[in-house]
Amino acid sequence: MINHPGLLLVLFLLLSISCSTKSNIKTTDEAVVCGQIVSDSTFVKVELLSYLGEIAGDTQKYPDENGRFSFTVKLPLEFEFTIWYKSSYATLLMNPGDSIFVNIGSQDSVSFLFSGTNGKVLNELNEIEKQIAKIKKVDTNLIQRYKEFSPGEYLKYRIVLYNNNMSSLDDFLSKTDFSPKAEKLYKSKYQVNYGADLLHFLSMASIYQDFRATKEEISDVYIKTVDSLYIESIDNFYVQEYHNLVTLYLNYFNFEDRDTLICALKKRDKLLVNRIRMNHIIKRFSGYQKDYLLTKTLSDLIDNSYVTEEIYNEYIDEVSSKYFHSYLTNKYKEYRLILSSEFDSNRIHLFDLRESDTTSIFETIKKNHLGKKLYVDIWGTWCGSCISKFAYLPKLRESLHGENIEFIFLAFSSPKKQWQKVIQSHKLQGYHYLLNEAQKKELYDRIEISGIPHYFVIDSDGEIAIPDAKGPDKEELLTQLVAVE
């Protein structure tokens, strides 16, 4: 454990040099984040999150024995990420080509210190975040507001809260010497959060007040306010919260096709629901906003095996950004490879345990697969990033030919028909268990799981050999699996 402050600085400078950079950036749309954890011996996961999700690349890293970690992400343009360690986080603003170094200290409480590209601004942003959290006023009784306020009443109430917080922010910033860029970013967050909150009210009020807000039921002032906030925020797409605003703004227009949409939902016609959604995207949005929303929707359709060649061809050319277009093209290509690959359906084994009184899923798979090494994949039908990794399994299976290993898939919180559909369409040879809540709880109790997909390895004696294994898309996984007895 390192405690000397001078030594920490030397380590940080050495780290900055060691991941310095140009050699780590392979293409013009990549950015690199390197770092080291000091004053802490636990070395739990470091996570790098954004609304780009899997499109940007890796989101989780487990530091090496020296506490070092490194992320390489792909970006279409300037974009905001959040770096998490334990329960603490900091804001990362990155451009393609950036190299950022982060020192994570954790002796008393977790702290982040940035260097490299935008290092000064990043440190400022997180200092603003700490200070504003002390003075920002929040509503502690939102559910009551959702139950009682009309859209017009909520708008008046929210304007007062927004103006008070913005006034506090301006007053705070006037007494500091933060850079204009840091101030602009934080004001952008306030603005987009305000717009998203107004739109969020509509969906929440429809639940608590048992109504579906349509344009006819919402005051003109409300509509104009929401529209103006969206238009004013278009240049804020680098802010994470902006993507929440864009998504809610799209859902707002879905009210126009309320009857058709409700009918499609009742019939569980996901393809029609998403056709309505994508047609609204093309009609209402342009540029980055359109590309982002179409990419997220098409990606979800591919992951859940709802996309057809006709649908894909109809909408793919509407995506103008090379960054998003390339991502979708590769994803669809991998999906088509799965569809065209040969497989033995007799090697797909399904076990629905939701009504079972079996509480220990570990004892169940240990008993059913005694003497085998097991690669276990925890997933759900609603988890797009889980499903996207299935495309790498055929190659992994081929590389492990002759090894004494079986593939186990544990799914939870998933409808049975959709569970079966995804398994069959992705040709997932192996043993599939659909879990109940008690079995899911046991998973989270036995293994430290921060989110799914999550992978672990059980050895031939039935013991957990690797509680946090690599995913099938990682080259290191093959080495891990072969090394386990």
Side-chain angles (χ1 to χ4, degrees):
M1 191 170 291
I2 304 168
N3 293 311
H4 193 283
L7 185 56
L8 292 183
L9 179 60
V10 172
L11 275 173
F12 188 45
L13 292 173
L14 287 174
L15 175 66
S16 299
I17 295 169
S18 68
C19 44
S20 87
T21 82
K22 296 293 182 187
S23 61
N24 289 333
I25 299 175
K26 298 176 182 177
T27 63
T28 55
D29 61 355
E30 287 185 348
V32 172
V33 180
C34 298
Q36 182 162 19
I37 301 164
V38 295
S39 301
D40 189 358
S41 60
T42 57
F43 294 168
V44 301
K45 279 182 185 176
V46 180
E47 296 185 79
L48 194 66
L49 304 177
S50 78
Y51 265 88
L52 287 177
E54 65 179 81
I55 302 172
D58 289 339
T59 59
Q60 299 180 351
K61 290 287 183 183
Y62 210 96
D64 65 17
E65 65 275 8
N66 297 310
R68 296 192 184 97
F69 58 89
S70 177
F71 293 92
T72 300
V73 295
K74 292 188 175 183
L75 303 170
L77 33 73
E78 186 176 39
F79 207 83
E80 180 191 8
F81 286 72
T82 304
I83 186 167
W84 283 84
Y85 182 68
K86 295 185 174 178
S87 58
S88 298
Y89 67 92
T91 297
L92 272 171
L93 188 64
M94 290 190 285
N95 279 281
D98 280 357
S99 295
I100 297 171
F101 319 110
V102 54
N103 174 48
I104 302 180
S106 185
Q107 188 171 0
D108 299 315
S109 61
V110 176
S111 61
F112 299 85
L113 176 64
F114 296 100
S115 183
T117 312
N118 277 341
K120 180 177 182 295
V121 172
L122 297 181
N123 288 323
E124 288 179 336
L125 287 175
N126 291 290
E127 183 59 32
I128 293 174
E129 179 76 42
K130 291 177 187 176
Q131 297 301 322
I132 290 298
K134 299 175 183 178
I135 61 174
K136 185 167 64 174
K137 295 175 182 176
V138 296
D139 191 336
T140 57
N141 199 20
L142 274 177
I143 292 179
Q144 198 66 25
R145 314 285 183 198
Y146 298 147
K147 287 180 178 179
E148 296 179 355
F149 281 21
S150 68
E153 290 169 336
Y154 188 76
L155 173 63
K156 290 178 183 178
Y157 158 76
R158 198 61 181 79
I159 285 174
V160 173
L161 185 61
Y162 171 77
N163 287 337
N164 286 341
N165 279 329
M166 188 58 80
S167 177
S168 297
L169 176 62
D170 286 336
D171 182 58
F172 165 71
L173 292 176
S174 69
K175 299 172 183 176
T176 65
D177 58 351
F178 292 120
S179 64
K181 186 169 185 176
E183 292 185 10
K184 179 186 176 185
L185 179 69
Y186 213 85
K187 287 185 176 182
S188 297
K189 285 174 171 287
Y190 260 54
Q191 184 179 46
V192 295
N193 269 328
Y194 174 39
D197 184 75
L198 292 177
L199 290 169
H200 183 63
F201 167 79
L202 296 183
S203 60
M204 296 307 295
S206 71
I207 294 171
Y208 285 105
Q209 299 184 34
D210 193 27
F211 76 89
R212 289 279 179 176
T214 65
K215 281 198 169 183
E216 291 73 27
E217 295 167 327
I218 302 172
S219 68
D220 288 341
V221 175
Y222 196 97
I223 295 169
K224 288 176 182 176
T225 303
V226 168
D227 284 344
S228 65
L229 279 168
Y230 171 73
I231 292 167
E232 289 173 16
S233 300
I234 282 178
D235 291 335
N236 296 335
F237 47 68
Y238 53 84
V239 178
Q240 284 202 57
E241 290 88 343
Y242 170 77
H243 294 76
N244 187 34
L245 171 62
V246 172
T247 303
L248 288 165
Y249 193 66
L250 170 62
N251 293 338
Y252 171 60
F253 287 116
N254 283 343
F255 285 127
E256 290 182 348
D257 287 328
R258 182 181 64 173
D259 293 338
T260 306
L261 192 61
I262 290 174
C263 183
L265 288 168
K266 285 181 177 178
K267 293 180 178 178
R268 297 187 178 181
D269 188 342
K270 188 164 185 177
L271 199 54
L272 177 56
V273 169
N274 282 283
R275 267 188 178 277
I276 294 171
R277 182 180 181 84
M278 289 190 286
N279 289 337
H280 274 306
I281 292 169
I282 294 168
K283 180 181 178 182
R284 300 285 182 179
F285 298 89
S286 61
Y288 172 82
Q289 292 80 5
K290 183 185 76 170
D291 289 343
Y292 168 78
L293 291 168
L294 279 178
T295 299
K296 296 291 280 187
T297 306
L298 279 171
S299 179
D300 178 64
L301 289 174
I302 294 170
D303 283 340
N304 288 282
S305 309
Y306 281 108
V307 73
T308 62
E309 186 173 0
E310 177 189 359
I311 293 292
Y312 176 78
N313 290 333
E314 181 179 346
Y315 291 101
I316 184 63
D317 288 336
E318 295 287 347
V319 179
S320 55
S321 163
K322 290 182 180 179
Y323 173 84
F324 290 114
H325 197 285
S326 173
Y327 168 77
L328 284 172
T329 301
N330 291 334
K331 190 179 188 73
Y332 186 67
K333 182 180 178 181
E334 291 170 350
Y335 174 65
R336 296 292 298 175
L337 283 173
I338 291 174
L339 293 182
S340 62
S341 64
E342 296 183 2
F343 83 112
D344 184 354
S345 60
N346 293 322
R347 293 186 179 181
I348 294 179
H349 309 279
L350 305 179
F351 303 93
D352 182 356
L353 301 183
R354 289 173 304 164
E355 304 300 324
S356 168
D357 58 1
T358 300
T359 56
S360 176
I361 185 60
F362 285 95
E363 290 304 316
T364 299
I365 59 178
K366 180 177 179 179
K367 176 182 175 182
N368 291 352
H369 308 280
L370 193 61
K372 297 282 188 178
K373 287 193 293 186
L374 308 178
Y375 180 55
V376 187
D377 181 338
I378 305 174
W379 70 291
T381 57
W382 39 270
C383 173
S385 57
C386 299
I387 296 171
S388 67
K389 302 297 188 294
F390 293 158
Y392 300 93
L393 287 171
K395 182 179 179 181
L396 175 64
R397 198 183 304 275
E398 183 179 335
S399 300
L400 290 167
H401 182 72
E403 288 286 326
N404 181 36
I405 189 166
E406 288 180 346
F407 291 78
I408 309 296
F409 301 87
L410 307 179
F412 57 82
S413 304
S414 302
K416 184 175 181 178
K417 286 186 178 179
Q418 181 62 14
W419 174 64
Q420 293 171 324
K421 177 181 173 66
V422 173
I423 291 168
Q424 293 294 335
S425 63
H426 285 78
K427 301 180 179 179
L428 294 178
Q429 298 180 62
Y431 295 82
H432 296 268
Y433 296 85
L434 185 56
L435 310 185
N436 58 35
E437 287 302 308
Q439 294 153 1
K440 171 189 170 184
K441 182 178 184 303
E442 187 201 19
L443 277 180
Y444 279 77
D445 287 344
R446 289 281 299 273
I447 299 178
E448 185 178 320
I449 300 174
S450 59
I452 61 173
H454 186 94
Y455 310 92
F456 65 96
V457 179
I458 294 178
D459 63 26
S460 56
D461 292 326
E463 301 300 322
I464 299 173
I466 308 176
D468 186 16
K470 299 294 184 183
D473 57 326
K474 303 301 178 188
E475 293 181 1
E476 306 97 301
L477 173 62
L478 192 60
T479 303
Q480 282 187 327
L481 293 176
V482 171
V484 173
E485 294 296 329

